[in-house]
Amino acid sequence: MTVPLDRHYLVELQVSAERVSQQRRIIAAHLRHWSLELHIRPVCRAVEELLTNVQRHVGDDNTCVLELRWSGRHLTVSVADSGAEMPRLLHEGGGLSRVMALSDSWGTCRTAEGKVVWFTRYAQEPQHIALVPLPPLPGVREFRRPPAVVTDFPAAAAAAPAGTDAPAPAQAPALV
């Protein structure tokens, strides 16, 4: 599957606290544009963790490359830096443990210039359901019915004027 150009984001940056928060906002905007709103929080947290690790272990003066790629099924985020030391998964939590918890898969790879740390999330393209107009709901007029005619009194029904559904008023019995 070929990834369209609008589903790819690549930036080279020097990591600082300000740049980390700026990248969070940019990534959130890309995910919204790609209709992946459900992934904004976990992806941004994991990216923040990776960029903070670059700042902490490689240093502020080095640059890194952040790449975000969505294939329509998987969202892959990678951070490449020039640090020689490979990251380790610590038992205490934090760092890569947090990235592992927020992703479906993750890994590291040594490169000629340093290393790449990446993670993926299953992010299938949302299904857009075509809106079909529904028939209108019945209104009040459809529920109004004429009052029911009581037929227990045959004399009263026979005495009703023609053209009306209502029975004639009952007459008082005659006294003898």
Side-chain angles (χ1 to χ4, degrees):
M1 169 184 237
T2 304
V3 178
L5 292 177
D6 65 339
R7 294 181 178 186
H8 182 245
Y9 170 70
L10 179 76
V11 64
E12 184 175 340
L13 65 132
Q14 283 190 306
V15 182
S16 65
E18 296 81 25
R19 293 292 289 177
V20 170
S21 63
Q22 180 185 34
Q23 287 305 309
R24 280 184 66 126
R25 290 189 301 272
I26 291 171
I27 288 172
H30 279 282
L31 295 177
R32 276 188 204 94
H33 178 69
W34 298 339
S35 300
L36 298 175
E37 288 86 1
L38 295 175
H39 299 277
I40 291 174
R41 177 176 251 167
V43 168
C44 287
R45 282 186 163 178
V47 167
E48 180 180 10
E49 193 62 46
L50 293 180
L51 293 176
T52 303
N53 284 348
V54 170
Q55 183 182 12
R56 186 177 299 136
H57 299 292
V58 179
D60 290 338
D61 57 343
N62 289 318
T63 61
C64 69
V65 176
L66 170 66
E67 184 177 13
L68 183 70
R69 184 179 296 266
W70 182 44
S71 69
R73 295 192 105 181
H74 294 93
L75 179 68
T76 303
V77 178
S78 62
V79 175
D81 62 56
S82 60
E85 184 181 342
M86 293 299 285
R88 296 184 319 249
L89 185 62
L90 303 175
H91 296 288
E92 298 87 40
L96 289 178
S97 298
R98 186 168 294 135
V99 173
M100 181 177 74
L102 295 169
S103 63
D104 293 322
S105 62
W106 68 278
T108 61
C109 180
R110 190 175 302 277
T111 63
E113 297 84 25
K115 65 181 171 299
V116 175
V117 182
W118 57 269
F119 69 90
T120 62
R121 284 184 58 90
Y122 179 72
Q124 186 173 2
E125 190 165 9
Q127 302 295 322
H128 297 288
I129 299 171
L131 297 177
V132 177
L134 297 174
L137 295 174
V140 176
R141 292 179 193 216
E142 286 82 11
F143 284 111
R144 284 191 181 168
R145 294 186 185 137
V149 177
V150 179
T151 60
D152 289 350
F153 304 0
T164 63
D165 292 332
Q171 297 179 356
L175 295 174
V176 189

